[in-house]
Amino acid sequence: MKTEWTIPRTLSRHKSANVRKKRPKDLVYGLLFASPVLLGYLIFVIIPIFVTIFLSFTKYNVGKPPEFIGLDNYKNLFSGADPFFYPAVKATVYYVGVSVPLGIILSFFAAILLNQNIRGRTIFRSIFYLPVIIPLAASSMVWLWLLQPDFGIVNYALQTLHLPTSKWLGETASVIPTLILFSFWTLGNTIVIFLAGLQGIPSHLYEAIEIDGGNSFHKLIYVTIPMSSPIIFFNTVIAFINGFQTFVQPAVMTQGGPSNASLLYVLYLFNEGFKFSRMGSASSISVLLFLVVIVFTVVLFAFSKSLVYYEGQGSKK
Amino acid sequence: MRKLSFLNKTILYALLVAGSVFCLFPILWMLRTSIIEMGELFQNPPKLLPSHWYMDNFKQALSAYPFGRFFMNSAIITGGAVAGVLLTSSICAYSFSRMEWPGRDKVFGFILTGLMIPFFVVMIPQFVFWKSLHLTDTFVPLIAPAWFGGGVFNIFLLRQFFMSIPRELDEAAKVDGCSHFRIYWQIILPIGKQALIVVGLLTFLTNWNDYLGPLAFITSEKNYTLMQGLTLFQGSYTAQWNLMMAATSVIVIPSLLVFLIAQRYFIEGIAMTGIKG
């Protein structure tokens, strides 16, 4: 079984030799063919963003028309009048700040292991990827069962090994670390992207280190990490953006508890909008999330030119 | 590639096996719990395998709620979304890869920003929008977006693939007087089959596994998806973990099957998303 994507090499070579001319007459058909996504982007993304910004300045609970209240929603959040905002921010920063860097290190390490020339590596790759395809709502339930304080198999195993047990999701101090542990279970996507990157590193670089008498550690420090730096960076930014949107795990496992210790930002946002139907206030919470994501996106796009490479384009790289 | 020394190889295997146990154990434990009898559930020490396979859990779990209906709902939503994504994302990808029009790459770059925008930012206006059309609590909000390009990610993936197809093919067809639609339908789509399979599989999983979308748009129980059904179950069968795991297994098995049948495509699909270099 091959893991390399099988775009026939000969085909892409033909392509780059091809001379391209401008054909502006395709504009109408081009736009027509692209119209589903252009319309979709407008209807489901662009307009909603402006509506969110507008609603964030209103008091709105769907039943009645929105009532303009200026910056009151934001004042409520920042002044602490809303008792959930700061706990949610704190829990999210804690969760994202720890799970993302650790997750990147772990998945990079796992990708290096899975890239070694050993028997059965395709099977190992599939196993490491497998958790990604399990519905999160389902795996959250499974982990809830594994981590039951009294009857869970994890505590049982720890007990047998005379190791300290934990209440896991049941205690304010351990709930976020437990969610972080769970986040490692679904690193498959990140691992596979790293793996694709590792496979693109030319082997003569490693051979050069060998000729100079370097060991595996030197290879890691002088070739693997520098050559993977764009992907490390890419994965890190994506992981942060995804981390901020962690919803299903706390929604299914803890409902934000105990005492709001796992009230991650988007769960708080969802509750505010859909449970308490305070859509205006929820919109201001969305706007703040949006601002954070914009900052990360701008950073990513500033670097993206050196990150993304189109195979068929015959570009410089 | 160089051969590894025996010691290195041992360490490597040990780490890979440990990682595999971490990845596989929860799934196996779920399956194991789903066939255990209530009496054995809290047994100490727990048996690795139940003394006999107690399949009644499935019957009990599935009859507790209209899971058949939830299954159908999930299937309709997923089927509708997959069809929409395959059709519209490929036609958009055709435009962005095989047609030349001024501003094409700039427009595409702009649309790519959509990858970064969290659903949470647009969730409330979308809800208001569907509400004003009286379409909340139907499947429309969950299927319709798939018919409008079906997500930039899919277009990106297909565009990558379409760009690698030699231009001579459609140029020859054009000389022969083929319309763009015919080139798309009769030349590019058949060649891009492999990439379309990847997109279809990923779309299947995204929609089948989706929890947030139904939670936001679906309110009445008859329209619940399987994921919603699961949490419904959680609310009322808190201590009956064997039934809960039976229900969970039923929900996981379709995703698991799809993966086992087509695992090659998944891993290639992720690797194909343009980070090769």
Side-chain angles (χ1 to χ4, degrees), chain B residues 7 10 40 93 104 134-136 151 168 183 277:
Chain B
L7 178 71
T10 315
E40 273 179 59
R104 183 193 80 171
H134 301 285
L135 286 170
T136 46
E168 285 82 353
I183 297 173

Side-chain angles (χ1 to χ4, degrees), chain A residues 5 30 41 52 126 145 156 310, chain B residues 33 45 95 113 121 160 263 272:
Chain A
W5 183 248
Y41 200 56
T52 303
S126 293
W145 167 226
Y156 174 79
Y310 298 99
Chain B
T33 311
S95 174
T113 58
V121 171
Q160 289 275 92
Q263 47 180 319
M272 198 175 84

